[in-house]
Amino acid sequence: MLKDLRNSQKKSGAKLLENDNIIESFNNDSQGFKSAYDDVVICDRSHWGLLQLTGEDRLRFLHNQTTNDINRLQCGQLCDTVFVNSTGRTLDLVTTYVTEDSILLLVSPNRRRFLYEWMDRYIFPMDKVEIRDISEQNAIFTIIGKEAAKKLNQWDIAAQILSELSPRKYGLLTVEEKNIMIGYDTGLNLSGYTLIVPENLAKTVWETVINLGIIPIGDRVWQQLRIKQGRPYPDQELTEDYNPLEAGLWSSISFDKGCYIGQETIARLNTYQGVKQRLWGVKLTQPVKAGNTVMVDDKKVGILTSSIQLEEECLGLAYVKTKAGGEGLKVTIGDAKGQLISVPFLSHEYYKPESK
């Protein structure tokens, strides 16, 4: 059914990659990037993974597998949580949607199969949990921008649902007797919504949203936005070389929950303030490729993990040793000069129980 969606998108100028699975661009990258801040855009993230947990032990199971307090979630809520290995190193940052009878996990494109197999190996015979990969049965659309609510309110069936939503919650739209989930979340620190749409409604919903005057963007612009915002990404910032505290994902970690995989390491790093490197944004004087060493004077202090060139600025993300400094630190990366900057998606404050 997504074939019909892709054909519609091609008519709008979409350039597709990887067997028509990923939309790289709509040939409007500059306009699209600016519109994400000034107007409203829609990005097709259907190449991301969507996993479903069912069974009466599903909340407990995910609670024990990831960093956030999943047990506290109620139907209609969503949150970010991090999968980590036994030594507390990052596997993926995922968004969970809790329904009456399941949990949906929106996972990164290159972690879909890995996380399915990772969770499956921890399901024991007595556990009442089942995993399904429902990625192919659904489309994922993210609508980003300060005008998102205003534009979507022109869609009659969406108006009431939007008025009832608050951040980190979702509602249901009914189209042709099928439910569409609309979550108040973009996966970035930007206003907007993410829609989980049954595949046979994907073309209808996409065209409806485009007809509201919302601008389509491809994955290239989404990557630009996530670097500017500071969202870490698997195989770049999220690897087993780093833990989620180093990655600045403190808001996705509960320090009050019980044991989970990797919990001991993460708790110890917080208690003894032992984070040795941190992920920062970097403002650069010229383009430079990811993988270059970050230098202060003649000393290696980190590594550049992502970079982008925009019309008016060059930006990157880099892990830098804590002892070297933080925001405002002047660095050299390849032939470029740079300065560490804070980015909205990340935080680096240690958790203090008395501050609850």
Side-chain angles (χ1 to χ4, degrees):
M1 289 292 183
L2 288 182
K3 182 179 180 181
D4 293 337
L5 170 65
R6 295 292 181 251
N7 288 335
S8 176
Q9 291 167 331
K10 287 178 181 178
K11 292 178 182 178
S12 300
K15 179 181 178 182
L16 278 68
L17 297 175
E18 299 188 14
N19 299 319
D20 291 353
N21 189 36
I22 300 176
I23 299 175
E24 180 185 31
S25 174
F26 281 90
N27 297 312
N28 64 348
D29 292 356
S30 178
Q31 177 196 13
F33 182 85
K34 292 178 181 177
S35 296
Y37 289 92
D38 300 334
D39 192 4
V40 57
V41 299
I42 180 171
C43 182
D44 185 344
R45 295 167 67 196
S46 301
H47 58 288
W48 288 55
L50 191 64
L51 305 180
Q52 182 185 57
L53 297 179
T54 56
E56 62 185 70
D57 292 335
R58 61 189 181 277
L59 281 171
R60 177 191 57 80
F61 174 78
L62 189 63
H63 185 88
N64 293 339
Q65 294 288 319
T66 65
T67 59
N68 219 332
D69 189 353
I70 305 301
N71 279 340
R72 67 175 173 78
L73 296 178
Q74 303 294 319
C75 179
Q77 294 183 316
L78 57 96
C79 79
D80 288 341
T81 191
V82 186
F83 278 88
V84 293
N85 66 16
S86 59
T87 58
R89 303 304 180 98
T90 54
L91 303 176
D92 195 16
L93 170 65
V94 310
T95 303
T96 67
Y97 294 74
V98 176
T99 76
E100 290 184 357
D101 55 9
S102 70
I103 303 173
L104 302 186
L105 301 177
L106 181 59
V107 309
S108 300
N110 49 358
R111 287 293 185 268
R112 172 178 161 188
R113 187 64 193 175
F114 175 85
L115 287 181
Y116 181 97
E117 294 175 350
W118 176 269
M119 287 187 287
D120 188 59
R121 66 195 273 196
Y122 285 102
I123 297 178
F124 299 104
M126 296 300 292
D127 291 330
K128 297 179 180 178
V129 181
E130 294 184 4
I131 308 171
R132 291 179 59 214
D133 185 342
I134 59 172
S135 308
E136 302 299 328
Q137 289 78 54
N138 295 274
I140 310 294
F141 302 145
T142 295
I143 298 169
I144 304 167
K146 63 182 182 180
E147 299 295 321
K150 181 179 178 180
K151 290 284 181 71
L152 283 177
N153 275 328
Q154 299 175 48
W155 187 12
D156 292 341
I157 63 171
Q160 182 176 350
I161 297 298
L162 294 179
S163 68
E164 297 172 352
L165 281 185
S166 57
R168 316 304 286 172
K169 292 187 177 181
Y170 73 84
L172 298 176
L173 304 178
T174 301
V175 177
E176 297 178 10
E177 299 183 349
K178 294 182 174 63
N179 286 332
I180 296 170
M181 297 179 70
I182 177 166
Y184 199 147
D185 180 70
T186 62
L188 303 168
N189 198 36
L190 291 170
S191 298
Y193 307 91
T194 293
L195 281 65
I196 300 177
V197 184
E199 60 174 344
N200 56 358
L201 291 179
K203 177 176 179 290
T204 297
V205 172
W206 178 268
E207 292 180 347
T208 297
V209 171
I210 295 298
N211 288 335
L212 297 176
I214 295 176
I215 299 167
I217 61 170
D219 188 65
R220 188 156 58 203
V221 174
W222 195 90
Q223 290 290 337
Q224 292 173 345
L225 292 170
R226 74 99 186 160
I227 292 172
K228 186 173 178 65
Q229 290 291 304
R231 179 186 170 118
Y233 198 72
D235 296 332
Q236 290 172 265
E237 293 79 31
L238 300 181
T239 77
E240 293 184 59
D241 292 326
Y242 309 106
N243 62 63
L245 304 184
E246 294 171 330
L249 300 177
W250 294 76
S251 63
S252 302
I253 300 169
S254 170
F255 290 94
D256 298 320
K257 64 182 283 187
C259 294
Y260 60 91
I261 293 175
Q263 183 262 348
E264 184 177 348
T265 298
I266 292 172
R268 190 187 314 117
L269 287 170
N270 178 69
T271 299
Y272 297 104
Q273 299 192 2
V275 177
K276 296 181 179 180
Q277 56 192 339
R278 291 174 174 172
L279 184 63
W280 291 97
V282 188
K283 189 172 183 179
L284 300 161
T285 56
Q286 65 184 67
V288 60
K289 290 184 179 180
N292 271 282
T293 299
V294 180
M295 306 288 293
V296 173
D297 298 326
D298 295 325
K299 296 181 180 179
K300 177 182 176 180
V301 298
I303 186 169
L304 185 72
T305 53
S306 294
S307 66
I308 53 169
Q309 180 179 4
L310 303 173
E311 286 187 351
E312 300 178 354
E313 58 184 351
C314 297
L315 299 173
L317 296 174
Y319 279 102
V320 176
K321 292 180 180 179
T322 306
K323 290 182 178 180
E327 184 176 3
L329 180 69
K330 302 293 181 62
V331 298
T332 301
I333 306 176
D335 294 328
K337 299 295 183 182
Q339 181 175 346
L340 301 191
I341 58 175
S342 62
V343 281
F345 197 85
L346 306 180
S347 60
H348 294 297
E349 295 295 325
Y350 284 99
Y351 173 77
K352 300 178 182 179
E354 65 272 16
S355 65
K356 290 194 299 180

